[in-house]
Amino acid sequence: MSEIQKAAEIIQEGGLVAFPTETVYGLGADALNPIAVARVFEVKNRPQFDPLIVHVADIRQAEILILKFPEKALKLISKFWPGPLTLVLPKSQMVPDIVTSSLPTVAIRVPNHPMALELIRESGRPIAAPSANSFGGVSPTTAEHVRQSLGGKIDMILDGGPCSVGVESTVISFEDKEPVLLRPGGITVEEIQALIGTVLVQTNPAGKPLAPGQMENHYAPRTPMVLDISLTALPGNKKMGLLSFQKPPANPAFTAVEVLSEKGDLKEAAANLFAAMRRLDSMGLDMIVAQPVPHEGLGRAINDRLAKASAKKAI
Ligand code: AMP
Ligand code: MG
């Protein structure tokens, strides 16, 4: 029996499998099995008001889970699936409440990774999967990252090497008349707007449950991280690391420096982001200083993660 067949059986039996996608590693459970999904929340320590993304192999598998697809959603699907684009659409009765935190909508996507697609097809189930890490922490982009945070707590880890995109999917909601961006991610807002016109950007309306991508403090290393402070005003008595977009000028204030992309390529920077944050986090530093990247294309997703990883952390 292949590794994927073994993993598919575990999913069918209500177990938990971590698997690679092009964005980050997911912690998967049969989306139609509420008890299996409950275990995902438990293992991650994730609050139940945080709905999960359901992963399917193609639009046909999505059809039984969704009540209707607006025209603009279909346009996005035909261009960007499989790929790092999640759509929030009205759900059918098939989707258990625990998956959507009792919302009338479900978040759904087709991942662009051969192992993920084979796992979904082989198990014959839609797979609910948040990132395979403890809630609030840095998302895993290698199987080793998953082992470090959830190792003993889950049934299997499929290893597909490092994730090629490295940041989570873009989330677009079709709950209201006009599409709304809930989270910037692997497909750029520019690409989406070129296809379907203006997309509104959501800030948290009162009374709506906060979803993970919208929480203020998320994707965070244990080491306090600050974003965009002047490099000339650094405290002298701290052991500090720098998370830099391109190679910075030499600065003795930093014990360690992680460069996201020597050549200034946002795609490469996104793919390196979470692993670089983890390396700095493992060095026993007092503080990580992160510099924002250009705020365009994938840079929006990177800056969003940097801002959330450093929220509420003072020097
Ligand atoms: P994660 O699974 O941690 O990568 O993040 C899930 C993301 O999906 C969140 O950022 C939410 O924006 C979004 N999400 C999932 N389900 C829903 C839903 N039913 N309504 C609105 N947003 C959702
Ligand atoms: Mg997550």
Side-chain angles (χ1 to χ4, degrees), residues 30 58 163:
D30 175 357
D58 49 41
C163 301

Side-chain angles (χ1 to χ4, degrees), residues 127-140:
I127 296 184
S131 54
N133 59 286
S134 291
F135 181 71
V138 181
S139 302

